[in-house]
């Protein structure tokens, strides 16, 4: 009986191992040669799907700019705190002119106290409002009298610095959106289905037109499957290919006669993995986080 590529169950393989298997399988297919395996029309699509899966094995959820953004926010809060604290301190100043100026400014900034606890981007807009208010004609004399001109400029600089880093974070989000839009479960099904087509084709030619290249490739694949199964918990079998179950797999279609039937067992939950990158995403990229082909 002709040697066949053994079956393997993908249903309980996590995404990392699933991708590693397919990366290695694709590498072996390329090494053997698509023409020698009679899969010229299947291999390019399989390679594209495997590469796409490789890009989402661990989707990036942390942002490079997050630490910088937090530091910029803290610096902005300190700059605003200095201004508000000085105004508060001068409310009890025994120098009447400064006390009067402080009372006037205190009434103006009352609505802005506590904004350091607001969402960062909201605070950016609110700080701009505060700066515009303190730069107004009615506030400028008081700011000058209390010596807060430089502090006000510092607050404006810190707020602008935060906004600039926030724009960098926005660009990071733009770059990762394509990954976020990928449905992991659906992609795994597509990878497994294309792999099953390739296995079916190779197994069929192993029966009707066996060659040394095909036999060598099958031996390589069965070794890869054997090493993958202990980690996946799959059972061993031969002469069939299953994309997601240990039940009997596909029957090879005779490439010469067209005989036989083709049925690819699909996995009802191919993404049954301990850690699913789809659920580890950053729902709000502006909140704080702590957080090619192989073979």
């Amino acid at each position: 009986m002709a040697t066949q590529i053994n079956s393997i169950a993908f249903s309980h393989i996590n995404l990392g191992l699933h991708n590693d298997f397919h990366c290695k399988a694709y590498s072996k297919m390329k090494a053997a040669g698509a023409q020698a395996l009679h899969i010229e029309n299947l291999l390019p699509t399989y390679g594209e799907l495997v590469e796409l899966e490789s890009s989402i094995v661990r989707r990036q959820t942390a942002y490079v700019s997050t630490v910088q953004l937090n530091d910029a926010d803290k610096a902005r809060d300190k700059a605003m705190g200095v201004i508000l604290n000085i105004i508060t301190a001068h409310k009890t100043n025994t120098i009447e002119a400064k006390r009067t100026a402080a009372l006037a400014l205190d009434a103006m900034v009352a609505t802005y106290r506590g904004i350091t606890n607001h969402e960062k981007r909201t605070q950016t807009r609110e700080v701009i409002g505060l700066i515009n208010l303190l730069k107004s004609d009615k506030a400028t004399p008081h700011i000058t009298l209390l010596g807060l001109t430089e502090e006000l400029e510092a607050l404006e600089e810190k707020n602008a610095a935060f906004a600039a880093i926030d724009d960098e974070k926005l660009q990071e989000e733009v770059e990762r959106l394509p990954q976020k839009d990928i449905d992991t479960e659906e992609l795994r099904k597509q990878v497994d289905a294309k792999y099953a087509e390739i296995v079916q084709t190779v197994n069929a030619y192993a029966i009707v037109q066996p060659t040394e290249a095909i036999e060598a490739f099958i031996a390589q694949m069965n070794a890869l499957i054997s090493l993958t199964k202990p980690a996946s918990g799959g059972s061993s079998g031969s002469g069939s290919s299953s994309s997601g179950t240990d039940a009997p797999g596909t029957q090879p279609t005779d490439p010469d006669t067209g005989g036989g039937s083709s049925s690819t067992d699909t996995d009802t939950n191919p993404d049954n993995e301990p850690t699913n990158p789809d659920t580890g995403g950053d729902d709000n990229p502006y909140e704080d986080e702590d957080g090619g082909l192989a073979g």
Side-chain angles (χ1 to χ4, degrees):
M1 181 177 178
T3 303
Q4 300 276 275
I5 297 175
N6 294 335
S7 65
I8 180 171
F10 292 127
S11 57
H12 298 297
I13 296 179
N14 64 37
L15 183 61
L17 182 57
H18 183 271
N19 180 247
D20 181 73
F21 174 86
H22 284 293
C23 283
K24 286 182 168 62
Y26 177 65
S27 179
K28 294 183 184 304
M29 292 171 193
K30 287 198 302 179
Q35 187 173 3
L37 299 178
H38 306 281
I39 57 173
E40 301 99 313
N41 62 326
L42 299 174
L43 190 58
T45 301
Y46 179 60
E48 291 172 2
L49 291 170
V50 173
E51 184 170 12
L52 186 58
E53 185 185 56
S54 296
S55 73
I56 64 168
V57 169
R58 276 292 176 263
R59 293 180 228 239
Q60 187 176 353
T61 57
Y63 292 77
V64 175
S65 58
T66 295
V67 173
Q68 296 174 320
L69 205 58
N70 289 338
D71 289 345
D73 181 53
K74 290 177 182 177
R76 176 176 62 182
D77 290 349
K78 289 178 180 178
M80 188 169 70
V82 168
I83 293 173
L84 297 181
N85 288 336
I86 290 176
I87 291 173
T88 298
H90 278 294
K91 286 167 61 178
T92 58
N93 198 321
T94 56
I95 301 175
E96 186 60 25
K98 290 188 175 183
R99 188 178 76 85
T100 300
L103 290 173
L105 289 174
D106 186 62
M108 295 180 195
V109 304
T111 188
Y112 291 97
R113 291 188 181 275
I115 66 172
T116 55
N117 296 321
H118 294 176
E119 193 273 332
K120 294 182 179 65
R121 292 169 65 199
T122 300
Q123 186 181 341
T124 299
R125 295 296 111 192
E126 292 172 331
V127 169
I128 290 175
L130 174 61
I131 292 170
N132 290 337
L133 175 62
L134 295 180
K135 282 187 170 184
S136 66
D137 291 340
K138 65 178 180 179
T140 298
H142 304 312
I143 290 293
T144 302
L145 181 61
L146 298 184
L148 290 173
T149 302
E150 289 183 335
E151 283 74 13
L152 185 56
E153 291 175 353
L155 175 59
E156 189 169 17
E157 290 174 2
K158 301 304 181 184
N159 199 50
F162 178 91
I165 299 172
D166 191 43
D167 285 341
E168 293 177 11
K169 190 166 190 175
L170 178 63
Q171 184 57 38
E172 285 188 74
E173 182 68 5
V174 168
E175 293 171 358
R176 72 178 57 180
L177 278 178
Q179 284 189 348
K180 284 190 170 184
D181 290 339
I182 296 173
D183 184 322
T184 304
E185 180 177 349
E186 179 59 31
L187 178 57
R188 284 184 58 144
K189 287 180 180 179
Q190 293 176 21
V191 174
D192 293 344
K194 190 58 61 176
Y195 169 81
E197 286 186 63
I198 291 173
V199 169
Q200 184 182 49
T201 300
V202 174
N203 279 347
Y205 274 98
I207 294 174
V208 300
Q209 294 182 26
T211 63
E212 290 185 4
I214 288 177
E215 290 176 356
F217 170 72
I218 291 176
Q220 289 283 315
M221 285 302 303
N222 284 340
L224 174 61
I225 290 169
S226 177
L227 291 175
T228 303
K229 280 182 175 179
S232 68
S235 63
S236 61
S238 62
S240 63
S241 171
S242 169
S243 67
T245 176
D246 287 326
T250 59
Q251 296 298 322
T253 300
D254 191 325
D256 291 338
T257 64
S261 61
S262 173
S263 61
T264 302
D265 297 334
T266 57
D267 183 11
T268 58
N269 184 15
D271 206 18
N272 183 9
E273 52 186 335
T275 302
N276 187 342
D278 279 348
T279 62
D282 184 358
D283 292 331
N284 185 351
Y286 291 97
E287 292 298 323
D288 295 347
E289 319 86 344
D290 294 322
L293 292 181

